Amino acid sequence: MTDALKRLSDEGVAIWLDDLSRKRITSGNLAELIDQQHVVGVTTNPSIFQKAISSGDGYEQQLTDLATRKVTVDEAIRMVTTADVRDAADILRPVFDATDGQDGRVSIEVDPRLAHHTAATVAEAKQLAWLVDRPNTLIKIPATKAGLPAITEVIGKGISVNVTLIFSLERYREVMDAYLAGLEKAKAAGLDLSLIHSVASFFVSRVDTEIDKRLDTVGTDEAKALKGKAALANARLAYQAYEEVFSSERWAALDRAQANKQRPLWASTGVKDPAYKDTLYVVDLVAPGTVNTMPEATLDATADHGEVTGNTIAGTYEQARADLDAVAKLGISYDDVVQLLEDEGVEKFEASWIDLLNSTEAELKRLAPSEG
């Protein structure tokens, strides 16, 4: 076992776990990962909650109480998921305090069915922040067109945000703009900017999955040589955009008001293609001021055999641009790919949420006390 995770952390990469369940909390596993594997944050999404609650471990007593109270299935899900997030936030609180609020954070997502509704997303974000009631929470808002003004509004109210489902460089710039606009609103309202934090979750592996599929369809040697390059290129160019925005005059004014940079977070870092090394989207995306949220299998693989060799983003921008240009020259539309991935991302989370609704509803019926 190498200490690749410590080296990763030393390079300025915050290691977050992309998973949460009640069993992970109550068994002491989450505390163990924080203590031994340099984990300093947790992300959740509708798919993660659907898997956790469907497995049943540790939820029966709370669901029995909720069934007895005859709550709606939507309310039951919110009570269950916010309880997990609150408990995880408490476990991570020492990290939050030690890092001055930068890490030690737990993310919880707004209902994905609201992804295309700005006002409803803002209302849900406020409700979630109130329900969890922990300073080290991040409310996840998808980076849809409707999500952008919601991000500005929520940040403007002093609520910290994890912007999720970012696939394109253009959308990422819009996300950073929405964050800065939110900070400007918060500043105008007299809020303490040092207490507002944000990450921008830029999805990685799904870009390769979709572009590789299209490269296979092209089928030439040139196309095959480009497989496994687009996702890294896209993420590296995102980091270039981050460097540009957070060295601008606009940012400097906010920086003087004690604002925090919105860190890029590499999401979807589990490798889908067995032909690639299982640590690809970790060790090849090392740069200071980033977050990498990993499923446990990727965390374990990195701990076991990850080769952390320093900053692997610096000096790559020219090659990254060349790789994306080469893909485009083969007739594969970048804009088409990233829009498809955003649409699919929202649809997948909606589907998981509906599965979660259905399985929770069945559990509430099963556990409901008999009348009389």
Side-chain angles (χ1 to χ4, degrees):
M1 182 77 73
T2 66
D3 207 354
L5 294 174
K6 181 181 187 304
R7 289 202 298 279
L8 196 61
S9 187
D10 290 344
E11 288 292 339
V13 179
I15 298 165
W16 291 10
L17 177 71
D18 192 27
D19 190 51
L20 186 63
S21 67
R22 190 153 298 177
K23 186 176 183 183
R24 195 181 283 287
I25 291 165
T26 57
S27 68
N29 174 259
L30 177 58
E32 190 177 281
L33 290 173
I34 295 164
D35 185 49
Q36 298 177 15
Q37 300 280 61
H38 306 279
V39 168
V40 293
V42 170
T43 48
T44 67
N45 62 44
S47 301
I48 285 169
F49 277 131
Q50 191 272 329
K51 183 179 166 193
I53 295 170
S54 298
S55 74
D57 278 334
Y59 295 98
E60 189 157 304
Q61 184 58 60
Q62 187 181 11
L63 286 171
T64 300
D65 291 344
L66 292 166
T68 303
R69 289 174 48 215
K70 297 184 171 153
V71 304
T72 66
V73 65
D74 285 276
E75 186 182 351
I77 286 169
R78 276 309 178 210
M79 290 299 105
V80 170
T81 57
T82 55
D84 280 0
V85 168
R86 192 180 307 113
D87 289 344
D90 288 344
I91 293 168
L92 278 154
R93 184 61 189 260
V95 177
F96 174 81
D97 292 337
T99 60
D100 203 21
Q102 183 93 312
D103 288 306
R105 291 189 171 267
V106 187
S107 299
I108 183 168
E109 189 151 349
V110 296
D111 185 332
R113 295 171 297 177
L114 306 177
H116 302 296
H117 305 280
T118 303
T121 293
V122 173
E124 169 100 339
K126 286 158 60 181
Q127 172 77 355
L128 283 173
W130 176 82
L131 264 177
V132 177
D133 193 27
R134 294 294 185 272
N136 50 331
T137 311
L138 289 169
I139 307 302
K140 284 179 93 169
I141 297 175
T144 56
K145 277 292 184 188
L148 295 170
I151 292 157
T152 297
E153 191 70 21
V154 172
I155 290 289
K157 292 182 185 302
I159 297 170
S160 295
V161 171
N162 175 345
V163 184
T164 189
L165 290 176
I166 309 170
F167 295 94
S168 84
L169 295 166
E170 180 186 2
R171 184 56 54 83
Y172 178 42
R173 285 186 180 275
E174 291 174 336
V175 164
M176 289 188 283
D177 182 70
Y179 175 61
L180 297 185
L183 288 176
E184 286 158 355
K185 282 186 83 159
K187 184 182 175 188
L191 299 183
D192 183 352
L193 300 194
S194 71
L195 301 179
I196 304 170
H197 287 260
S198 183
V199 293
S201 295
F202 199 86
F203 279 54
V204 187
S205 68
R206 294 186 199 180
V207 173
D208 269 344
T209 301
E210 183 59 33
I211 288 183
D212 283 0
K213 188 167 68 178
R214 298 184 187 206
L215 289 168
D216 280 336
T217 301
V218 174
T220 63
D221 289 344
E222 185 187 5
K224 288 173 187 167
L226 287 166
K227 287 182 68 175
K229 293 186 175 179
L232 289 176
N234 200 37
R236 286 165 170 173
L237 292 173
Y239 191 79
Q240 181 185 34
Y242 158 77
E243 289 183 313
E244 287 171 7
V245 169
F246 289 98
S247 59
S248 66
E249 278 304 309
R250 185 184 183 191
W251 167 250
L254 291 163
D255 188 40
R256 287 191 291 273
Q258 307 300 310
N260 298 291
K261 291 179 180 177
Q262 181 187 56
R263 289 182 292 171
L265 177 152
W266 310 129
S268 181
T269 56
V271 172
K272 308 288 194 291
D273 189 332
Y276 304 150
K277 64 185 179 188
D278 53 4
T279 59
L280 178 68
Y281 305 124
V282 178
V283 299
D284 286 359
L285 288 175
V286 176
T290 58
V291 179
N292 196 307
T293 184
M294 309 177 207
E296 191 168 19
T298 304
L299 183 76
D300 289 344
T302 304
D304 182 61
H305 53 264
E307 295 178 17
V308 179
T309 57
N311 188 326
T312 47
I313 292 182
T316 64
Y317 302 146
E318 196 175 324
Q319 185 60 53
R321 175 52 60 199
D323 286 343
L324 288 188
D325 286 347
V327 169
K329 280 178 187 150
L330 293 174
I332 296 170
S333 166
Y334 175 86
D335 289 343
D336 180 65
V337 167
V338 293
Q339 188 58 55
L340 174 74
L341 290 172
E342 180 186 305
D343 293 343
E344 283 184 351
V346 173
E347 285 166 14
K348 283 175 183 171
F349 282 169
E350 275 189 24
S352 293
W353 196 256
I354 289 162
D355 285 347
L356 178 56
L357 285 167
N358 292 337
S359 56
T360 304
E361 188 171 37
E363 280 295 281
L364 291 171
K365 282 179 181 167
R366 182 178 74 82
L367 296 167
S370 55
E371 297 294 334

